[in-house]
Amino acid sequence: MASVLVPVLYIGIVISSLLLFSHFYRKRSASKLYEPYFSSHPDRDVYVSLLQKTDPPAHEALLKAALIRRAMTDVSRVVRIREDKPALQNLLQKGSIGDDLWNSLLQAEKELEAEIIEVVAEANTFVEGWGSIIFQSAGEMIANEKIRTVYEETQTSRESKEQKYGKVGAKIDLPLPQPVLMPGLPPPGHPAHAAARAAAAAGGAPNSAPGTPVKPPNSLMPPRATSAKAESVASSDSENHNTPSPSKSVSTTSKSLSDIPSHIIHSPRKRARNVLVLQILLLELLASLRIV
């Protein structure tokens, strides 16, 4: 029996000692004052002082303006807590900061929640439903102030940079781009449209010399006449096609291929006729090879 009571008594003593330690530790921690994470709230103090003023009482517009300013401060503090809390939590896990700073942040977060609830209630006393949009309006006013601050500091920043890096060089005036005129008639609104149209009706370009071929609008010249040499080659090939001597036919065909100028074969404007000539020559060559 004694062997069973000893472990039970030991466990009871340990649990009771832990409970006593936890009680005194919590009591001491609750009484301990942490350094505030934020400084005093001057906008809240201004609003409360205006609200308590009775002789003469503050105007309603002045009270609304003070409440908006108070909400703007609350919005900026909410943004700062959202930015600082993950970083402080990471540093606390690594042991880089103490518990005092973390507890100060948690206490400031709870105070800010109570502050937001109070601002919403005060806004609803002026206009019903204003508490749901007052913080949205405060955020827009904060963004407007930031933009205005940047705009007002532009001249000062420019002067400081000019003193640091020197003034900017002289401004260069670039010439205006000139319009590019395409070949053909000018557009209907162009000043030269009437003159070009009259010249076209007269039957030719005004600056073209007599005997000179007029260039068409699409800038393509008509194909030149086929040289007589190519025609003679074609006729000689057709005559040699009926000759009984295969060796003579082969030599004549190779000679006729070598006699064709390179500009006739490779000219893109005479491609159709040259292809026909080459087909005739190839047929003669195949016929001579079959005879052989």
Side-chain angles (χ1 to χ4, degrees):
M1 188 66 180
S3 60
V4 178
L5 292 176
V6 172
V8 174
L9 183 62
Y10 177 75
I11 293 173
I13 293 172
V14 171
I15 293 175
S16 60
S17 61
L18 289 176
L19 290 174
L20 289 173
F21 175 77
S22 176
H23 173 71
F24 287 108
Y25 181 77
R26 290 179 180 178
K27 188 176 180 180
R28 183 181 178 183
S29 299
S31 61
K32 186 178 179 180
L33 297 177
Y34 297 102
E35 184 179 357
Y37 193 77
F38 295 109
S39 58
S40 60
H41 204 315
D43 296 322
R44 179 181 58 189
D45 299 338
V46 169
Y47 175 76
V48 172
S49 61
L50 289 174
L51 195 62
Q52 294 176 354
K53 190 176 180 182
T54 56
D55 189 20
H59 196 270
E60 184 179 355
L62 185 61
L63 291 174
K64 289 181 180 179
L67 186 61
I68 282 287
R69 180 59 62 178
R70 180 181 176 182
M72 291 171 62
T73 306
D74 294 338
V75 168
S76 61
R77 291 189 176 186
V78 167
V79 172
R80 183 178 173 184
I81 286 179
R82 287 180 180 177
E83 293 176 354
D84 295 350
K85 189 174 182 179
L88 291 178
Q89 188 175 5
N90 191 14
L91 293 175
L92 182 65
Q93 292 176 357
K94 294 180 179 179
S96 301
I97 59 174
D99 295 336
D100 296 340
L101 184 58
W102 178 253
N103 293 327
S104 176
L105 177 65
L106 295 179
Q107 185 177 357
E109 189 175 7
K110 292 180 180 179
E111 292 178 357
L112 192 57
E113 290 177 359
E115 171 70 14
I116 290 173
I117 294 174
E118 186 178 352
V119 169
V120 170
E122 291 290 335
N124 288 328
T125 57
F126 290 101
V127 179
E128 186 64 30
W130 188 28
S132 59
I133 61 172
I134 185 172
F135 288 103
Q136 181 180 357
S137 303
E140 294 175 357
M141 292 180 68
I142 289 174
N144 187 17
E145 284 189 352
K146 289 182 179 179
I147 296 173
R148 185 177 61 185
T149 303
V150 172
Y151 177 75
E152 291 176 354
E153 293 178 356
T154 301
Q155 186 65 23
T156 306
S157 177
R158 181 176 181 180
E159 292 176 357
S160 62
K161 288 183 179 180
E162 285 181 355
Q163 292 177 359
K164 185 176 181 180
Y165 300 107
K167 293 186 177 181
V168 185
K171 185 178 180 182
I172 301 175
D173 295 332
L174 297 176
L176 296 175
Q178 299 295 331
V180 179
L181 298 178
M182 301 300 293
L185 290 176
H190 200 273
H193 177 72
R197 191 170 180 180
N207 296 329
S208 60
T212 304
V214 180
K215 192 174 182 180
N218 56 0
S219 69
L220 294 178
M221 295 295 292
R224 298 179 182 178
T226 308
S227 61
K229 192 173 184 179
E231 294 178 356
S232 62
V233 169
S235 60
S236 62
D237 291 338
S238 61
E239 292 175 358
N240 292 333
H241 181 69
N242 299 324
T243 56
S245 176
S247 60
K248 186 177 181 181
S249 175
V250 172
S251 61
T252 307
T253 305
S254 61
K255 184 178 179 182
S256 61
L257 284 173
S258 62
D259 290 341
I260 297 176
S262 60
H263 72 276
I264 296 177
I265 298 176
H266 299 288
S267 176
R269 297 179 180 177
K270 304 173 182 179
R271 187 172 300 170
R273 188 179 183 88
N274 293 337
V275 168
L276 181 61
V277 174
L278 289 175
Q279 287 178 355
I280 295 172
L281 295 177
L282 289 175
L283 290 174
E284 292 179 359
L285 180 60
L286 291 174
S288 61
L289 290 175
R290 288 177 182 176
I291 295 172
V292 173

